Amino acid sequence: MSGYDHRAIEQKWQERWEKQRVAEVDLRSARDKYYMLMMFPYPSGDRLHVGHGRNYILGDALYRYLRMRGRRALNPMGWDAFGLPAENAAIQRGVHPRDWTLDNIKVMKRQFRRWGILYDWSKEVTSCLPDYYRWNQWLFLRMLERGLAYKRRAPVNWCPSCRTVLANEQVIDGACERCGTEVVQRDLEQWFLRITDYAERLLEGLESLAGWPEKVLLMQRNWIGRSEGAEIDFPLVSGAPPITVFTTRPDTLHGATFLVLAPEHPRVAELVGEHPDRPEIEAWIERVRKTPRIEREGEGSAKSGRDLGARAINPATGEAIPVWIADYVLPDYGSGAIMAVPAHDARDLAFARQEGLPVRLVYHPTERAVRAEDLSEPILHEGEIRGCGEFDGATDGPETIHRFVEWLAAAGKGRPRVTYRLRDWLISRQRYWGTPIPVVYCEGCGIVPVPDDRLPVELPYEVEFSGREGNPLARCESFVSTSCPACGAPARRETDTMDTFVDSSWYYLRYLSPRDSAQIFDPETTSRWAPVDQYIGGIEHAILHLLYARFVCRVVHDFGLVPFEEPFRNLFNQGMITRYSERTGRIEKMSKSKGNTVSPDTLIDEMGADTERVYTLFLGPPEDEVEWNDEAVTGAYRFLQRLWRVAERVGEAPPTAPSDAELERARHHAIARVARDFERFKFNTAVAALMELLNALTKAVEGKTASRLCCEATMDTLLQLLHPIAPHVTEELWERRGHVETLLDSDWPVADESKLKRDRLQIVVQVDGKLRDRIEVDADWGEREVRAAALDSDKVREHVGGREIAKAVLVPGRLVNLVTRKEAS
RNA sequence: GCGAAAGUGGCGGAACCGGUAGACGCGCUAGAUUUAGGAUCUAGUCCCGAGACUUCGGGUUGGGGGUUCGAAUCCCCCCUUUCGCACCA
């Protein structure tokens, strides 16, 4: 045999896997099915670095393991191919987004191949191609029919320099991420999906996701933000219709000394009425509207407001109270109006003090005397109600709140109400590189959906990327001008495209019938193969992507297309890889912008993909953030070289040798450990276990302490267990050892419990909890024998020092603890 | 501010259910081998103090307390770091 030539070996096996399409799955049979899924990547122009590799290597190790366990594992891959960087490349470098994206896909595919990753490419989907995004349009139209998609005016982040709308993530410290211009708030007609209708179901569904990390469930729960309380109507002194507020603390109603409306509240125009300062107030409202949300909502932001002059009646006290508007009340939460209870709410108190508004206590602390006029901190969750008639003496708690709600409801002044922090999903993007929203605007017919048989509404290729104005689509006359599908009159197309989160909300269903040109996906195949058994991806998608995917799953469930409501049974979030950055002088997430990336190409050239795979998985627990260490990679390389050398020499072992049982024990111990580790994704400890097994085998071969038969069996087991981690070198050695079928098709070894047993074993002796000696005992000895053997030891006797043994705690196979009676002192 | 997670050698990290802390690897030290090497092999490597080649004692899992025969692991307080949310009524 020759030396370990990783280049030749890796090339050979990659070619073979590709040619034989080993990962292709026939979906007609779903016996032993296991649908695993890696979050599909955005094909950015940046080459993949070893930090990205972690995801894919982890997934491939899982895939190969499942295959060897006999599962019919489906591991598809595709491209989240719409998005902003493609358009920026077009503007900056004059490449068309489509060409740029498709080129990037080719490059990334080659990189996956070089890592030795097996995907079922026959299921590939590319979201920027019409045969995919037409089904985005189809889905949108179905939602439009059911009122789940709608259009309304809404404030958006607007960059005056780029003249375009920005997503929240593109606004950094109130400025545009691209040009640094301060972002302003603008009202535009926008398309929304009514995810809020599903808030309760999305929240309840979390209960069933036992296979999801607690952290993600919690983040989703907080994001949905269910909040129970009451709606209360405040009649106006003028006799105009009442103002309705939402509160979680109806029990503090008696302390409501003023109302505050969001400046955007629909009643504001009417209420400001004949106010003498009306022009000033309107100018102020305009300023608030233009303030970016990020700035307005920051906790440190100073509150400001205006007295509208109108007066409302507190339904509990009958008192007339002023009606204000202020920027700290948000238009899209609750009813966009609050009752201010300064005595029991920090924000209201701060505002009341600032504006000289009255403060009235409902709950009076019992331990100390408090005067409303001196209050500088709100009274929260203490004291008892005073001065509120029938409620006097009640203390803070759910029951008191309930009594107030009942009382309000009986009087017709209010009612129980649940609100959510979750807002409807704004899907409009004033961008070219996305799915066109399939509607047409007609003078006569209004908003007209594009009929199904005219889908897809294709993105025109020939558009101008000047970069000066937002959406190139809007300037593409051949796209915009069309005829009304309803009446045939000239009409204009919608030029907004969809948020790319729409694409990624259902792609896992399309993988199951990627070429179906008649329907979005085949419901029959889907019901057999979905939901996804194991989803793997980064924690950065803990909220939006996963929430949208869960939402869309329920929508298609309600359409009768899938029998389940949850798309992903188990979720695993791998941590990121960090490395020291020269540029920032800190340890940071590996990224191009930080200049701390490591290229897999160089690494693979020098030490091979198997080395990168072993090292990446060995680095640390896959769910944790781990730091890449350039020097430590050689440890993985050495490991594979040692494996190669031992494989060459394993035939030199003698026909018989004394320590077969010991090597057998090491072999079965490794089998048990690796299986357990793989099940929990603990690839780092699995690698450690395999290194130990190799060490044991090396010792046995070199010291001629185990028989050839036993060494050969250990070698085979080692190759099998290591295959998911280092697939190329293991297949090569396996083949060279004369096996006919491939490792990937071999049966995963099973640990034999009986081989793990020993007749005699070493246990630890403690005296009063301190380790004093190790003794050898028979495996089946009871406490009496072990105790006697322990006392046989000089060291133990010395430490017992003649004291009486009060008791002995025996942990079978591990230790015995002799507890001495304390001398009376 | 609220919520969550995590703190173990020089470094990355092990330790299943409360039972030998530091597996495995990197680095480092010494030696061997090689024309040479950043290649390979062998031995050593938590800290302190004695003892001497195969030892012995003490300490040690961010800090302090507690439960227990026994705590990295469970409970309480504090410190630090990271992440999520952040005027949500």
Side-chain angles (χ1 to χ4, degrees):
Chain A
M1 272 213 234
S2 47
Y4 171 37
D5 179 358
H6 61 260
R7 278 177 230 204
I9 293 168
E10 290 179 1
Q11 206 183 332
K12 166 183 164 183
W13 287 97
Q14 283 161 15
E15 253 164 47
R16 207 175 280 188
W17 292 327
E18 188 173 67
K19 209 170 280 166
Q20 296 177 356
R21 304 179 181 193
V22 292
E24 223 169 282
V25 179
D26 181 352
L27 298 179
R28 283 172 301 188
S29 166
R31 196 164 50 86
D32 291 324
K33 77 98 179 173
Y34 191 99
Y35 186 3
M36 57 175 287
L37 183 67
M38 313 294 298
M39 288 182 184
F40 70 163
Y42 178 75
S44 76
D46 311 332
R47 310 208 40 148
L48 295 171
H49 54 70
V50 295
H52 297 116
R54 192 178 198 197
N55 270 299
Y56 306 112
I57 290 168
L58 179 92
D60 191 60
L62 175 67
Y63 169 76
R64 288 171 185 270
Y65 168 69
L66 291 166
R67 275 280 299 264
M68 292 174 79
R69 293 297 300 248
R71 301 301 294 268
R72 186 182 298 260
L74 172 66
N75 190 24
M77 185 42 70
W79 313 98
D80 189 10
F82 272 136
L84 215 50
E87 215 164 323
N88 291 343
I91 294 164
Q92 283 155 15
R93 279 178 276 162
V95 208
H96 194 279
R98 184 187 152 107
D99 303 335
W100 183 84
T101 303
L102 296 180
D103 282 350
N104 292 342
I105 288 174
K106 278 187 210 142
V107 172
M108 282 178 75
K109 254 184 167 167
R110 255 203 310 277
Q111 287 196 284
F112 287 149
R113 193 185 125 110
R114 282 202 86 190
W115 271 322
I117 287 167
L118 301 181
Y119 290 123
D120 180 350
W121 288 111
S122 72
K123 312 294 186 289
E124 180 179 7
V125 302
T126 306
S127 66
C128 68
L129 297 179
D131 65 357
Y132 185 85
Y133 69 69
R134 72 173 289 181
W135 300 111
N136 277 344
Q137 296 173 338
W138 182 89
L139 192 64
F140 174 87
L141 292 172
R142 298 292 83 73
M143 291 176 79
L144 188 62
E145 284 164 5
R146 288 166 173 79
L148 287 172
Y150 66 95
K151 199 176 191 191
R152 72 168 153 90
R153 263 190 115 65
V156 291
N157 302 308
W158 178 263
C159 172
S161 162
C162 303
R163 285 197 251 171
T164 187
V165 163
L166 301 176
N168 282 330
E169 310 82 66
Q170 294 168 316
V171 182
I172 316 289
D173 294 329
C176 173
E177 76 167 344
R178 205 142 54 103
C179 66
T181 310
E182 196 165 323
V183 168
V184 298
Q185 227 46 46
R186 257 208 190 180
D187 283 344
L188 290 175
E189 288 277 317
Q190 303 281 302
W191 285 99
F192 286 85
L193 299 183
R194 214 178 285 281
I195 191 172
T196 51
D197 272 13
Y198 285 74
E200 193 59 41
R201 280 167 71 187
L202 288 167
L203 187 66
E204 279 170 8
L206 295 173
E207 306 290 332
S208 69
L209 296 175
W212 282 38
E214 252 331 294
K215 182 184 172 139
V216 175
L217 295 176
L218 188 68
M219 281 165 78
Q220 293 231 340
R221 215 167 270 137
N222 291 341
W223 189 262
I224 295 167
R226 185 181 198 273
S227 179
E228 247 175 75
E231 246 173 29
I232 303 176
D233 302 326
F234 282 72
L236 290 173
V237 171
S238 66
I243 301 281
T244 301
V245 305
F246 171 73
T247 178
T248 54
R249 296 300 303 271
D251 53 325
T252 62
L253 175 58
H254 290 80
T257 49
F258 56 102
L259 293 188
V260 189
L261 276 55
E264 297 88 341
H265 194 282
R267 300 285 301 279
V268 169
E270 157 212 334
L271 294 173
V272 76
E274 299 309 308
H275 198 288
D277 291 335
R278 183 170 166 173
E280 195 280 329
I281 293 176
E282 282 174 346
W284 177 83
I285 292 173
E286 216 25 56
R287 276 205 305 282
V288 173
R289 291 175 90 102
K290 282 192 178 142
T291 311
R293 275 200 89 110
I294 310 93
E295 215 170 287
R296 176 168 163 191
E297 291 183 18
E299 193 179 355
S301 312
K303 297 173 176 47
S304 69
R306 293 292 186 274
D307 186 349
L308 283 179
R311 295 172 81 74
I313 295 169
N314 181 322
T317 61
E319 226 171 14
I321 57 172
V323 179
W324 282 64
I325 51 175
D327 55 3
Y328 78 96
V329 176
L330 306 174
D332 45 12
Y333 183 78
S335 60
I338 62 157
M339 61 176 203
V341 185
H344 304 297
D345 182 284
R347 296 152 302 174
D348 295 343
L349 183 62
F351 193 69
R353 290 296 180 229
Q354 180 186 312
E355 303 294 340
L357 289 156
V359 177
R360 177 194 299 235
L361 284 167
V362 178
Y363 286 95
H364 295 254
T366 47
E367 311 286 300
R368 57 201 166 104
V370 173
R371 293 181 349 141
E373 47 275 42
D374 313 327
L375 213 58
S376 59
E377 291 285 313
I379 310 288
L380 305 166
H381 314 298
E382 66 167 316
E384 59 174 40
I385 296 180
R386 286 182 205 153
C388 300
E390 59 177 293
F391 297 104
D392 282 5
T395 52
D396 181 18
E399 276 133 61
T400 305
I401 292 176
H402 185 71
R403 276 177 65 196
F404 271 89
V405 177
E406 298 266 280
W407 172 70
L408 283 165
K413 294 169 176 172
R415 58 215 71 86
R417 165 91 198 271
V418 173
T419 51
Y420 301 88
R421 206 190 76 108
L422 181 68
R423 287 164 200 168
D424 275 342
W425 176 9
L426 195 168
I427 58 158
S428 283
R429 294 291 181 273
Q430 289 70 39
R431 291 288 184 178
Y432 164 75
W433 196 233
T435 304
I437 292 175
V439 299
V440 160
Y441 298 102
C442 168
E443 288 264 331
C445 315
I447 296 176
V448 184
V450 174
D452 285 359
D453 59 14
R454 292 200 209 162
L455 295 184
V457 175
E458 267 195 64
L459 269 182
Y461 185 84
E462 297 295 339
V463 291
E464 183 201 342
F465 298 99
S466 63
R468 289 190 310 276
E469 252 173 87
N471 189 350
L473 261 192
R475 296 191 310 268
C476 178
E477 201 43 44
S478 62
F479 175 81
V480 174
S481 71
T482 183
S483 57
C484 171
C487 70
R492 299 183 68 75
R493 278 192 198 283
E494 172 63 81
T495 58
D496 279 2
T497 52
M498 294 183 203
D499 179 7
T500 54
F501 278 120
V502 176
D503 314 344
S504 55
S505 67
W506 64 278
Y507 73 108
Y508 66 99
L509 296 168
R510 187 67 183 172
Y511 277 145
L512 301 173
S513 39
R515 311 282 163 259
D516 198 325
S517 57
Q519 52 189 345
I520 182 165
F521 53 82
D522 173 37
E524 210 176 297
T525 311
T526 306
S527 67
R528 272 178 299 160
W529 276 85
V532 169
D533 293 284
Q534 181 66 58
Y535 199 23
I536 299 173
I539 187 76
E540 66 272 20
H541 293 114
I543 299 174
L544 296 184
H545 162 59
L546 290 171
L547 195 64
Y548 294 147
R550 296 181 59 229
F551 162 57
V552 170
C553 185
R554 280 168 174 74
V555 170
V556 294
H557 169 267
D558 292 354
F559 292 171
L561 294 175
V562 296
F564 47 86
E565 293 204 16
E566 286 295 345
F568 314 119
R569 226 175 245 151
N570 297 290
L571 174 69
F572 183 82
N573 297 119
Q574 88 288 337
M576 61 194 181
I577 288 188
T578 62
R579 185 163 172 263
Y580 179 78
S581 162
E582 298 282 348
R583 211 165 290 174
T584 65
R586 291 172 45 184
I587 293 163
E588 310 245 28
K589 172 183 178 168
M590 197 175 274
S591 78
K592 195 185 164 196
S593 63
K594 297 284 186 328
N596 61 346
T597 57
V598 172
S599 160
D601 296 319
T602 328
L603 182 59
I604 290 171
D605 281 341
E606 283 175 14
M607 295 187 256
D610 283 334
T611 294
E612 184 188 343
R613 292 174 63 117
V614 169
Y615 178 66
T616 298
L617 294 173
F618 182 60
L619 207 57
E623 67 275 19
D624 287 0
E625 181 183 301
V626 287
E627 195 189 330
W628 184 271
N629 180 343
D630 295 311
E631 288 181 318
V633 183
T634 56
Y637 190 46
R638 277 181 217 159
F639 167 61
L640 295 180
Q641 283 176 318
R642 276 191 293 135
L643 176 76
W644 188 272
R645 279 197 304 273
V646 172
E648 283 179 322
R649 296 190 48 199
V650 74
E652 298 168 13
T656 57
S659 300
D660 277 7
E662 202 181 307
L663 189 57
E664 270 296 278
R665 194 152 46 234
R667 181 164 81 98
H668 285 277
H669 187 61
I671 294 171
R673 267 180 73 185
V674 169
R676 201 187 66 209
D677 290 346
F678 274 21
E679 293 294 332
R680 298 178 308 154
F681 296 95
K682 298 280 183 201
F683 296 99
N684 55 326
T685 49
V687 174
L690 292 168
M691 287 175 167
E692 283 180 55
L693 182 60
L694 178 63
N695 290 345
L697 178 61
T698 308
K699 228 175 175 174
V701 171
E702 277 172 8
K704 304 209 186 298
T705 52
S707 70
R708 177 169 171 178
L709 203 66
C710 187
C711 289
E712 302 256 12
T714 304
M715 189 71 220
D716 280 346
T717 299
L718 184 54
L719 293 175
Q720 286 186 296
L721 298 180
L722 185 59
H723 178 258
I725 295 163
H728 310 86
V729 66
T730 48
E731 279 288 13
E732 180 66 22
L733 288 173
W734 183 258
E735 188 184 70
R736 288 181 185 216
R737 293 181 49 65
H739 293 283
V740 179
E741 69 168 359
T742 65
L743 255 183
L744 192 60
D745 291 316
S746 73
D747 290 331
W748 189 256
V750 179
D752 181 348
E753 285 292 327
S754 69
K755 294 275 173 59
L756 293 171
K757 286 201 186 111
R758 298 164 185 264
D759 297 337
R760 281 182 75 73
L761 35 88
Q762 206 186 45
I763 67 164
V764 161
V765 183
Q766 294 181 340
V767 177
D768 292 324
K770 288 208 190 298
L771 191 154
R772 294 305 179 191
D773 202 4
R774 288 157 222 267
I775 57 168
E776 203 167 275
V777 298
D778 275 9
D780 55 358
W781 276 0
E783 190 190 314
R784 204 161 43 86
E785 292 97 327
V786 171
R787 184 170 165 166
L791 285 168
D792 226 28
S793 148
D794 294 341
K795 286 185 209 160
V796 171
R797 270 204 311 276
E798 193 181 312
H799 284 99
V800 169
R803 290 190 302 275
E804 192 184 334
I805 309 255
K807 70 170 171 177
V809 182
L810 178 69
V811 182
R814 302 221 118 169
L815 62 78
V816 61
N817 186 10
L818 304 177
V819 184
T820 64
R821 185 148 292 165
K822 292 262 157 53
E823 285 165 58
S825 54

